[in-house]
Amino acid sequence: MNRILVDILEGIDEPEWFGKIEPFLQKVATELKLENEEISVLFCDDKYIQELNKMYRNIDAPTDVLSFENDDEYEDEEGVWRCVGDIAISLDTLPVNAEYFNVTVNTELKRLLVHGLLHLNGYDHGEEHLEQNKEPECEMLILQENLLKTKLKDEIIIK
């Protein structure tokens, strides 16, 4: 099992699907054979994610998802936990991406969550990014898209 902490930026209304994020990420972690990880996910807006992007990546623009690796460990009565890091997802960019890729918001949200989790576990896609009507070439993006098309295809977060 993993510890998945999900939060939303103050001032943003909690979406009806908010409670489905933790079970979805538990399933992704199971598929990736990840155990005893602590992961935090923050849903925010474009303004906040732009601040993070500028501060940590020196890019003064909003983005869809950011991952911040941590890799600390701690022990409690339940065992040893690896704090792999934090994922931030912009709720403003989510529907824009869905439209660009011509997919549902549900599909795009799953993609961003898987993408962030893969980054926290050492995967990188270098300069390659997903593009419309183009199959990915790097290991991370191939794994991401294969998971979404097979094991996670029928998972519903947003109806």
Side-chain angles (χ1 to χ4, degrees), residues 103 107 110-111 114 130-131 133-136 141-155:
V103 297
T107 297
K110 292 188 305 184
R111 179 180 289 133
V114 170
L130 284 182
E131 296 178 41
N133 306 315
K134 184 178 181 233
E135 290 296 316
L141 298 179
I142 290 169
L143 174 59
Q144 169 187 297
E145 295 305 297
N146 284 342
L147 276 172
L148 292 166
K149 289 176 185 171
T150 59
K151 307 283 186 186
L152 306 172
K153 183 177 108 180
D154 297 326
E155 295 294 313

Side-chain angles (χ1 to χ4, degrees), residues 64-79:
D64 49 6
V65 60
L66 290 173
S67 298
F68 301 95
E69 291 181 59
N70 184 340
D71 211 26
D72 284 341
E73 280 190 0
Y74 70 93
E75 187 172 354
D76 66 11
E77 63 280 349
E78 295 177 15

Side-chain angles (χ1 to χ4, degrees), residues 42-59:
L42 174 69
F43 290 95
C44 60
D45 57 16
D46 274 353
K47 181 180 179 201
Y48 188 80
I49 209 163
Q50 181 172 345
E51 290 172 17
L52 293 175
N53 210 14
K54 184 176 180 181
M55 185 181 312
Y56 294 102
R57 297 179 64 225
N58 224 17
I59 299 173

Side-chain angles (χ1 to χ4, degrees), residues 17 25 40-41 52 67 81 88 102 136 152:
W17 45 261
L25 281 173
S40 73
V41 180
L52 293 175
S67 298
W81 298 90
N102 197 28
L152 306 172

